Amino acid sequence: MAVERSGAERVEPLACGRDAADVWDHAEAGVLDEHELTCPHCMRAHADHDRLGGLVARMAAEPLRPPPSVLEQVMGAVVADLRPHELLALGPDAWLGRPTAEAALRHVVDTMDGLRARRCRIEQVRAPDGSGEDPAAVWVRVTVAARFGVDLASVTARVRQMMISAGDRTLGVPIAGVDILVEDLWEEPE
Amino acid sequence: MANAQVSGPPAARPPGPGVPSARPARVPSRAALDETTLVVRAQDGDVGAFEELARRHQNALFRVAVRVLGDATDAEDALQDALVDAWRRIGTFRGEAAFSTWMYRIVTHRCTALVRRRRRTEPLPTDDGPGAPADDRSPTPERAAEVDAEMAALSRAVASLPEDQRTAWVLRELEGLGYSEISQITGAGETAVRGRIHRARGALAERMRAWR
């Protein structure tokens, strides 16, 4: 949260009463007014801007980039930092990592023109008797962003069907139901 | 109707001319995804989405770290720590500010902590800082050498600013951020931010007078 401190950090006005920071900003934007162009106090202030301007622009343009090893190390740490995967039961002695299944179902959404997946949550529907002989069905809740103008009823119905198919064919997990929430729209063409 | 039987992978179906909204599409690469989608996916635990966010922002964050710390190696450490921290805390990002503002805040906090730790053990570097590459477009070797010397002098002058002034000045003058955004990043009020930047400009102009 921004904290305002005492007047010690304020910009002292110039002898002519103008705010020196304003004069600098005006010089930077090339919008000095008549007073600022002729007042000796303001002229001194924007002369400082002119003195530094080129060098600062040159410094800002320097191509500083981190070596690729930084991102590699970050992602190594990120992967190592992942919580132990929650598991979906596929059957006796067989499990599927929940993040993997969720990523696969997000991918199904992404294959649809005009939709992009956001959150995906998979909850396993446990058998009431806890027998666990067969793979337990799951319920999927996915949020998506859609391109403005897309037929949402049609495209979400299609996604639902494709997800159910992917659950059976690709993941080996029967999908009992799919809830789709369209939470955002975008307008730019693909 | 688009919800007919789907028997194969979506890409195998030719796009139907009559149903543009439901035709299978090429899966967009992560680089083509909008930032909000990437953030939500990263919050959902999607490592690949976070990697794309890190890739998009790392250069700007590194530039700030180099200029605030005056040392490229320290800047690499600060950037690395900041990105790992961002991953751990991304669930707390609520979108009140831009994601870039949130990331700038994390990296500047890392830099501030590093500067304070360093201040307890050694003085701020006053050498040539990260250095300035030669300008190939310079008309003469003499002019190139002069520009290099000027840039080195400016780097020294920036490194000698108080840390709070230096951070605000870098965000404003080198990254082009507004006072309000710098206020959100640093936690100082806008009046204080303007004051810090103004004092930094004055100090730098004073120190660079000898070069003009």
Side-chain angles (χ1 to χ4, degrees):
Chain A
M1 196 63 189
V3 177
E4 205 63 73
R5 294 200 190 164
S6 70
E9 294 203 279
R10 292 177 184 279
V11 178
E12 285 294 318
L14 297 169
C16 61
R18 289 289 174 105
D19 182 312
D22 282 346
V23 177
W24 187 290
D25 288 343
H26 294 168
E28 196 161 70
V31 293
L32 290 163
D33 62 24
E34 194 173 342
H35 168 91
E36 291 164 339
L37 285 168
T38 54
C39 163
H41 307 291
C42 291
M43 287 170 69
R44 270 198 295 278
H46 62 75
D48 280 345
H49 167 269
D50 296 344
R51 188 173 296 119
L52 272 187
L55 272 181
V56 172
R58 188 181 290 270
M59 179 179 268
E62 280 182 1
L64 294 173
R65 291 189 173 83
S69 59
V70 171
L71 188 56
E72 288 167 12
Q73 288 173 29
V74 167
M75 295 317 297
V78 163
V79 170
D81 198 48
L82 286 173
R83 289 184 298 277
H85 288 180
E86 299 171 80
L87 302 175
L88 301 171
L90 297 175
D93 305 321
W95 296 271
L96 173 65
R98 189 186 304 267
T100 303
E102 290 170 346
L105 295 184
R106 274 195 294 261
H107 179 81
V108 169
V109 177
D110 286 348
T111 61
M112 292 297 293
D113 180 34
L115 281 192
R116 288 172 184 170
R118 287 189 170 174
R119 296 184 199 281
C120 182
R121 287 278 183 272
I122 300 178
E123 298 296 333
Q124 196 141 34
V125 183
R126 299 283 176 196
D129 61 359
S131 59
E133 287 298 318
D134 298 318
V138 299
W139 200 280
V140 178
R141 292 180 176 82
V142 61
T143 66
V144 301
R147 192 177 62 228
F148 185 75
V150 163
D151 177 351
L152 292 176
S154 168
V155 80
T156 52
R158 175 86 182 277
V159 162
R160 179 175 289 108
Q161 194 163 37
M162 288 168 62
M163 278 189 163
I164 291 169
S165 173
D168 277 337
R169 292 166 177 268
T170 309
L171 302 177
V173 177
I175 294 180
V178 180
D179 294 332
I180 303 172
L181 171 65
V182 181
E183 65 172 15
D184 203 359
L185 298 173
W186 84 88
E187 290 192 65
E188 65 268 46
E190 293 255 80
Chain B
M1 243 341 241
N3 60 354
Q5 289 285 327
V6 178
S7 58
R13 287 170 59 92
V19 277
S21 65
R23 71 179 184 271
R26 188 188 306 169
V27 178
S29 68
R30 287 197 179 94
L33 290 176
D34 62 283
E35 190 149 291
T36 303
T37 295
L38 289 171
V39 169
V40 171
R41 287 189 185 190
Q43 289 176 324
D44 209 26
D46 184 341
V47 171
F50 179 78
E51 182 172 11
E52 176 59 25
L53 287 170
R55 194 182 307 283
R56 285 185 191 183
H57 292 278
Q58 63 171 346
N59 289 350
L61 299 174
F62 182 68
R63 283 197 307 267
V64 169
V66 167
R67 294 307 179 191
V68 170
L69 295 169
D71 180 274
T73 304
D74 282 352
E76 288 175 25
D77 290 344
L79 173 63
Q80 187 173 322
D81 289 350
L83 290 173
V84 173
D85 199 23
W87 165 254
R88 289 177 179 157
R89 293 169 50 194
I90 197 163
T92 68
F93 175 70
R94 293 283 172 260
E96 288 102 352
F99 183 72
S100 59
T101 302
W102 189 74
M103 288 298 311
Y104 274 130
R105 191 184 306 152
I106 293 176
V107 82
T108 55
H109 284 186
R110 283 280 166 182
C111 291
T112 300
L114 200 55
V115 166
R116 287 178 182 159
R117 197 159 62 235
R118 197 164 56 185
R119 194 184 294 148
R120 287 198 292 271
T121 56
E122 58 181 286
L124 273 175
T126 53
D127 59 8
D128 290 353
D135 185 347
D136 294 337
R137 295 165 299 176
S138 297
T140 64
E142 291 78 10
R143 176 61 191 143
E146 191 181 343
V147 168
D148 282 355
E150 276 184 310
M151 292 301 293
L154 180 60
S155 291
R156 285 195 298 273
V158 170
S160 70
L161 293 171
E163 186 270 332
D164 56 353
Q165 289 183 25
R166 189 164 66 245
T167 299
W169 183 87
V170 165
L171 292 172
R172 172 72 180 179
E173 302 288 64
L174 303 184
E175 295 301 309
L177 304 187
Y179 294 126
S180 169
E181 194 170 5
I182 297 170
S183 170
Q184 291 178 49
I185 291 166
T186 61
E190 277 192 51
T191 303
V193 166
R194 291 180 87 250
R196 290 173 190 180
I197 293 167
H198 178 68
R199 274 183 284 285
R201 285 165 169 169
L204 296 178
E206 179 64 33
R207 284 166 204 176
M208 295 306 291
R209 267 195 186 111
W211 292 89
R212 285 283 187 266

